[in-house]
Amino acid sequence: MPQSTALSYSLGVIASLVLLLLPLQPWIPVELSWIETIAAVSYAWSVWLLAQNKPIGWWIGLVGTALYGLVFYQAQLYAEVGLQGFYFITSIQAIYIWLRGGQNQTEKPIGHVSSQGLVITAGLAIVALRSFLIAIRGAAPFWDALTTVMSLVAHLYLMGRYVESWYLWITVDMIYVPLYASRNLYLTSLLYGVFSFMAFSGLRNFQRLEQAQRLQATEQ
């Protein structure tokens, strides 16, 4: 394990223990639930492992996804509840894609979305966003709808192990920080601030690994 990775892993363990102890501290000015805390820790480890290109991140993410479904239901963020359900089902599919989605059912390599795929995805995302806003008739803010659609696209890209997924996650995470803070989900808001840095790390790591794959292919 590289020294930088070992350091971030150690810091992650310490941070996780601190977060899990927060609901027990009477001096915390904001009430924190055990469900949200465990969900936050599970999600954080899931994102970190996926940014390191580790398929086990999908398994751990299943725990965070299920728990966040409860958190968002209690916060009456019903679009987010539906999104967590989508994440849970497709994360199971992602495990298979990452491990058996390559040639001859081998591990799927890191790649890029084609130009045609980007255009089609952008068009479908715009149509979905417009349909979403019309359907809810103003019952939810524009940013709720935008982050929902962008998260869906980013998740689908990550399922395919595409570099472009991290560009979308960086954008989405930066929007989610103030959005969740406005709903009094302060721990989750802080978590998405950390996610934005993880997304930057994931982008660099995927780019590095994709270049290594390309170099290895040319040498064969």
Side-chain angles (χ1 to χ4, degrees):
M1 180 183 294
Q3 185 175 0
S4 59
T5 302
L7 177 60
S8 61
Y9 176 81
S10 300
L11 292 175
V13 172
I14 295 173
S16 297
L17 293 175
V18 171
L19 285 174
L20 290 173
L21 291 174
L22 285 182
L24 298 175
Q25 307 306 314
W27 48 267
I28 298 295
V30 180
E31 183 178 354
L32 299 175
S33 70
W34 280 106
I35 295 178
E36 183 183 359
T37 304
I38 297 174
V41 171
S42 300
Y43 241 155
W45 278 107
S46 173
V47 174
W48 185 81
L49 289 167
L50 291 176
Q52 299 298 317
N53 196 36
K54 304 294 185 182
I56 193 176
W58 290 110
W59 290 102
I60 296 177
L62 292 176
V63 177
T65 297
L67 293 178
Y68 261 125
L70 295 175
V71 171
F72 292 137
Y73 180 81
Q74 294 172 352
Q76 297 182 341
L77 294 173
Y78 301 117
E80 294 295 332
V81 174
L83 189 61
Q84 298 308 308
F86 174 83
Y87 284 161
F88 190 91
I89 295 173
T90 54
S91 291
I92 296 176
Q93 182 183 3
I95 295 171
Y96 177 82
I97 294 175
W98 276 42
L99 297 178
R100 295 289 184 267
Q103 293 184 351
N104 300 320
Q105 292 192 333
T106 57
E107 183 174 328
K108 189 180 188 303
I110 294 172
H112 289 275
V113 182
S114 65
S115 299
Q116 182 180 5
L118 288 173
V119 172
I120 293 175
T121 302
L124 292 176
I126 293 173
V127 172
L129 178 60
R130 181 176 181 275
S131 301
F132 194 179
L133 291 172
I134 292 175
I136 60 180
R137 297 182 179 179
F142 167 79
W143 294 110
D144 280 345
L146 179 63
T147 51
T148 297
V149 173
M150 290 183 65
S151 295
L152 288 172
V153 176
H155 181 76
L156 291 173
Y157 280 0
L158 187 56
M159 285 176 60
R161 233 173 191 169
Y162 295 130
V163 174
E164 288 76 11
S165 64
W166 296 110
Y167 288 108
L168 287 174
W169 281 128
I170 291 170
T171 304
V172 171
D173 292 341
M174 294 179 68
I175 297 174
Y176 269 137
V177 171
L179 178 62
Y180 285 136
S182 69
R183 304 297 175 85
N184 297 323
L185 296 173
Y186 300 109
L187 180 57
T188 302
S189 176
L190 175 63
L191 178 65
Y192 273 86
V194 176
F195 280 173
S196 64
F197 289 100
M198 289 185 178
F200 276 113
S201 176
L203 174 60
R204 293 196 301 267
N205 193 40
F206 268 46
Q207 288 175 331
R208 178 179 59 81
L209 292 173
E210 193 271 336
Q211 290 175 355
Q213 288 175 180
R214 189 182 305 173
L215 180 62
Q216 183 179 8
T218 58
E219 292 177 348
Q220 292 178 348

